[in-house]
Amino acid sequence: MSVSYTGVSWTPSKKRYDLVIGLGVALMLAAFALTGALVDPLATAETLVLRALSWTAVALLHVILAIGPLARLDPRLLPLLYNRRHLGVSMFVLGLAHAAFATAQFHALGDRNPLVSALAGYAAPGVNPRWTDLPFEPLGFLALVILFLMAATSHDFWLKLLGASIWKSLHSLVYVAYGLVLAHVALGIAQSGPAALLTRALLVGAACLTALHLVAYLRERRFDRGGRPPAAHGFVPVARLSKLADGQGRPIVVGGQRLALFRVGDAVHCVHGVCRHQGGPLGEGAVIDGCITCPWHGWQYRPEDGCSPPPFQEVVHTYPVRVEEDIVYVSPTPNPLATPAAAGDHHARETDATSQEGA
Amino acid sequence: MSATPDEFPRHPNAVVDRGAFYIGWQPRMPAALARVIRPLVITLVVLLVGLSAGVASTLRSGPPGVFEFGVVRDLDGVFYATPLPTLRLRDPVGGGAVSYYVVGAGKRGIPDELRALAGQRVRFRGTLIHQGGATMVELTEPASLTPSGPPPPGLERPAPQTVGERELVGELVDTKCFFGVMRPGLGKVHRGCAIRCLSGGVPPGLLLRHRSVDGERELGTVVMLVGEDGAPLELDPRWAALTIRARGTLESHGGIPVLRTRALELEPSS
C-alpha cells in the first residue's frame, strides 16, 4: 500500500519470491547455454547467450500470464500473484539484455547507427517478401517498449499517479506484448529453420494460456449473471445470514454490480467488490485487523465506511444492508462515498430499513 | 447455523477456508497453503529448467566455421588488393605459402590504409576465421598495420585458373559471417547483419547448396563475387540472404572459386 516513491519493503515473502525467481532464471539460463554448447560445440557463446536470454524471457512471460487465471480458478495460488510484478520486471530485464545483445551482435560496428539498422527494415526494391521474410526485429522492439512501460510503472507510486483505470489499461497491454513476442519468435523460427520442440512449446503455451483465460472468464461471467431481482422494498436478497462466516467475504451480484459482503460479529457490511488497487475481488477477501482485506495484494478498507485506514486514502462505496428472517438484503444504490453507514444487524432485523441504512 | 441449504448463488472462490487466507505482507504463510505452493513451485522450476535444456538440444547454429575470437596473431605477408583483398604468407604449419582473405574489424571491409599498400609486404595483428579450405583474417588491430618493404620471394600469387563462363544461382552471403564469425552466418534470420557487412565492404559470396554424395546432407559452397574487372562488386546490400542469379567468368584462386561477375539479378523466388 505504499503510495510514496520509496524502495520496496522487503518482507520475508518478497525475499523468498525473488530468491526463487533468481535461482530459477539462473538455472534456466545455465541449462539452456550448457546444453546448447554440448550438442553444438561450434555454437558461439554470443549465440548461446542470445538464445538463452530470449527463451527464458518468453517462458517467464507464459508463467506471468498464467498466474492470473490460475489464481482466479484456485485462490490457493494467490501467493504467486502477490509479487507477480517482480517476475514481470525480471522478464523485462531478460528481454532487454537479449535486445541489447542482439543489436550489438547483428547491427553494431557497421556503417550505420545500430538502432536505425535494426529497426529500419530492409526491404529490397523489386522484392515482394513473403510474410515469413518480414523483419522480426521491430516486433520485438515494440514488445520491449510495452514491457518497459509496464516495468517502469510497476511501483504503486505510478498506480496512484496515473489512476487505477489508466494504470490497469497500460498493464493490460501485456497481451499485446505477448502477441508481438510470439510473432517475433515465430518469424525468427520461420527464417532460421525448423525448431520443432520450440515451436511445439510455444503452441502449447499459447493454447494453455488461451484456455485458462477463457475458463476463468466463463466462470466469472456465469456468476455475474446469477444475481437475484430486488424484493418489493428495492433491496436485493443476497445470502442467508446463518451461512455467512464471521470475517470471511462473499462475492455477491446486485443490480449487475459485483459487491462484497462481510459479516463482522453481529454486523453485516457490504462494499463495492472491486479493489481500488488493481481491481482485486474484495468479496474473496477476509477481515484482518478489523479491515476488509483484498486477497490480491492486501489493500485494506474499513467495513463501516469503505475508507482505507490512515494514512492511506483509497475509498470504496458502501451499500445499505438490511436483514430480515435470516435473509440479507443489499440495496443496489450505494451510500455517498466515505460516509459511515450503519450495517445490517441481525439484532435489529425488525427495525426500519431507513434507520439501518444510516444514510 | 441454519441447516437450510443456501439457495443463493455462491462464487466458487468464496468457500476458501479462512485459515488459509494469506497476504504477502503477513509474516508467515499458513502451513496448508505452503503445502500447495512449495511443491508447485518446485515442479514448475524443474519443468522449466528441463524444457530449457530440451529446447536448446534441438537448435543448431549453422554450418561449421571457426572465428578465433580473442586469439590475435602477428601476421606477416604480401598484401594483394584485387580481385579479393588477400594476404599471401608463409604456411605456418608446412612449407610453401598460403593465402588468407582480409577483412576489416567489425562489419567492415579493409581500411584505405591497407588498400594503399597493395603489392607490398605488411605486418599486422589479426584474428583468423576459417571454414573448410578457406581462411580469412580480420584486421583486428588497425594500428598495428605497418608496411615492411618489398615483397620477399616465394610469396607471389599463384596464377588464377579460368574454369569458364558460368551462370550460378544461390544465396547472397557476407563471407565474413559465413566463414564463421556468426553462427548462423546465413539465411533470412541473419539478413540484417549481412546487409550491414556487405554495406560496410565485406566481400560478398554466393552460397550454392547441393546434396552430399550419399544424398543425406545438404552442403554449401561459397563462390566469392568480384566485379568483372576484379574491382569490388557493386551491389545492393539489401539483396543479402535473397536468391541471386550471377553470370560471369569462374576462376579458381588456389582452389577457391571466384566469379568475375558480369551480371547479377534477383531470382523471382527471393
Side-chain angles (χ1 to χ4, degrees):
Chain A
M1 282 170 61
S2 172
V3 292
S4 58
Y5 201 47
T6 56
V8 176
S9 51
W10 292 101
T11 61
S13 157
K14 280 197 175 82
K15 287 178 182 170
R16 280 194 297 272
Y17 199 94
D18 287 0
L19 186 67
V20 172
I21 293 176
L23 195 63
V25 165
L27 286 173
M28 287 178 70
L29 289 172
F32 192 102
L34 291 176
T35 308
L38 279 174
V39 299
D40 187 6
L42 289 176
T44 61
E46 294 92 328
T47 300
L48 292 172
V49 169
L50 264 178
R51 288 175 173 175
L53 286 169
S54 59
W55 159 256
T56 307
V58 170
L60 276 194
L61 183 54
H62 281 81
V63 173
I64 290 164
L65 291 176
I67 286 175
L70 281 173
R72 294 297 304 133
L73 295 170
D74 187 344
R76 292 177 302 174
L77 305 183
L78 278 171
L80 300 178
L81 184 82
Y82 182 69
N83 293 311
R84 185 173 53 167
R85 67 186 76 181
H86 294 216
L87 261 179
V89 173
S90 305
M91 185 268 298
F92 165 70
V93 169
L94 288 166
L96 181 66
H98 166 76
F101 219 104
T103 304
Q105 170 90 334
F106 297 122
H107 298 276
L109 302 175
D111 59 353
R112 202 170 186 188
N113 179 295
L115 264 182
V116 174
S117 174
L119 299 178
Y122 23 82
V127 178
N128 293 319
R130 293 181 288 265
W131 72 268
T132 52
D133 292 342
L134 293 173
F136 51 85
E137 293 95 332
L139 299 174
F141 179 80
L142 281 176
L144 200 62
V145 169
I146 293 173
L147 296 173
F148 165 73
L149 289 175
M150 292 177 59
T153 60
S154 62
H155 194 284
D156 280 347
F157 168 82
W158 288 98
L159 177 64
K160 183 79 176 171
L161 190 72
L162 297 172
S165 175
I166 294 177
W167 190 91
K168 192 79 179 173
S169 301
L170 174 67
H171 283 247
S172 296
L173 289 177
V174 69
Y175 294 101
V176 177
Y178 176 62
L180 290 167
V181 166
L182 277 190
H184 172 75
V185 178
L187 281 180
I189 293 173
Q191 295 176 22
S192 62
L197 185 56
L198 178 57
T199 307
R200 282 182 200 144
L202 291 176
L203 285 175
V204 169
C208 287
L209 284 180
T210 306
L212 278 174
H213 281 79
L214 198 60
V215 170
Y217 165 75
L218 290 176
R219 199 171 76 144
E220 297 297 322
R221 195 178 69 158
R222 192 182 314 131
F223 178 73
D224 283 340
R225 288 180 170 181
R228 293 285 191 89
H233 46 48
F235 280 53
V236 177
V238 292
R240 283 194 174 274
L241 177 68
S242 55
K243 295 291 182 182
L244 291 179
D246 190 13
Q248 185 177 316
R250 173 172 306 188
I252 57 172
V253 176
V254 175
Q257 306 175 87
R258 182 75 71 90
L259 308 182
L261 196 65
F262 284 86
R263 177 174 182 171
V264 184
D266 288 337
V268 181
H269 302 273
C270 183
V271 299
H272 194 262
V274 180
C275 180
R276 302 287 295 171
H277 180 216
Q278 292 189 16
L282 290 179
E284 296 170 33
V287 175
I288 298 178
D289 298 332
C291 287
I292 293 169
T293 304
C294 178
W296 281 11
H297 299 95
W299 280 38
Q300 294 187 304
Y301 307 89
R302 288 191 300 247
E304 305 82 31
D305 58 7
C307 295
S308 292
F312 305 106
Q313 298 168 343
E314 291 72 30
V315 191
V316 290
H317 274 291
T318 58
Y319 288 77
V321 176
R322 60 191 295 172
V323 182
E324 294 175 0
E325 301 296 334
D326 198 42
I327 302 295
V328 179
Y329 295 85
V330 171
S331 167
T333 307
N335 293 311
L337 206 56
T339 308
D345 184 333
H346 73 276
H347 290 309
R349 64 184 63 167
E350 302 302 333
T351 59
D352 181 81
T354 308
S355 65
Q356 285 186 46
E357 290 169 28
Chain B
M1 284 224 175
S2 165
T4 314
D6 192 348
E7 68 275 28
F8 295 97
R10 187 182 288 210
H11 193 282
N13 292 354
V15 297
V16 177
D17 176 16
R18 171 67 182 83
F21 189 81
Y22 170 70
I23 299 295
W25 45 250
Q26 292 177 302
R28 193 167 183 81
M29 185 184 289
L33 265 188
R35 279 195 294 273
V36 174
I37 295 291
R38 278 199 197 119
L40 180 75
V41 169
I42 291 170
T43 305
L44 182 65
V45 170
V46 169
L47 189 72
L48 287 174
V49 170
L51 198 55
S52 300
V55 168
S57 72
T58 63
L59 300 180
R60 295 293 180 271
S61 58
V66 175
F67 178 39
E68 296 182 350
F69 183 74
V71 181
V72 184
R73 300 170 186 268
D74 291 305
L75 297 150
D76 181 355
V78 179
F79 174 70
Y80 298 96
T82 58
L84 286 164
T86 305
L87 187 71
R88 185 81 174 160
L89 68 166
R90 306 275 177 216
D91 189 341
V93 292
V98 291
S99 295
Y100 294 169
Y101 298 121
V102 187
V103 290
K107 295 174 174 58
R108 300 280 187 172
I110 57 169
D112 291 339
E113 293 82 354
L114 179 57
R115 194 174 291 282
L117 297 174
Q120 296 186 42
R121 182 178 181 183
V122 296
R123 289 196 176 99
F124 63 81
R125 286 171 58 73
T127 308
L128 297 187
I129 308 156
H130 39 87
Q131 183 182 151
T135 301
M136 186 174 263
V137 58
E138 177 196 80
L139 175 51
T140 310
E141 297 178 9
S144 68
L145 176 64
T146 48
S148 47
L155 292 182
E156 298 82 10
R157 274 192 296 184
Q161 294 177 311
T162 301
V163 178
E165 291 298 302
R166 291 288 187 274
E167 183 172 280
L168 305 172
V169 177
E171 176 187 333
L172 184 68
V173 297
D174 77 274
T175 49
K176 183 177 182 182
C177 287
F178 178 79
F179 281 136
V181 170
M182 291 289 181
R183 297 184 55 79
L186 73 164
K188 298 279 172 55
V189 74
H190 174 259
R191 188 167 175 218
C193 178
I195 289 173
R196 287 277 67 75
C197 286
L198 293 180
S199 178
V202 170
L206 197 65
L207 174 63
L208 311 178
R209 297 176 189 275
H210 50 91
R211 306 299 301 178
S212 60
V213 175
D214 56 15
E216 290 187 355
R217 288 171 300 142
E218 186 180 64
L219 303 176
T221 300
V222 161
V223 176
M224 311 293 286
L225 299 178
V226 299
E228 191 171 17
D229 57 356
L233 180 63
E234 299 278 340
L235 53 71
D236 187 339
R238 291 172 296 181
W239 286 8
L242 303 180
T243 306
I244 302 293
R245 181 178 295 272
R247 281 185 289 275
T249 306
L250 186 65
E251 297 176 344
S252 173
H253 290 244
I256 304 298
V258 175
L259 187 74
R260 286 181 181 268
T261 309
R262 195 168 55 253
L264 201 63
E265 61 188 43
L266 272 171
E267 277 285 277
S269 60
S270 291

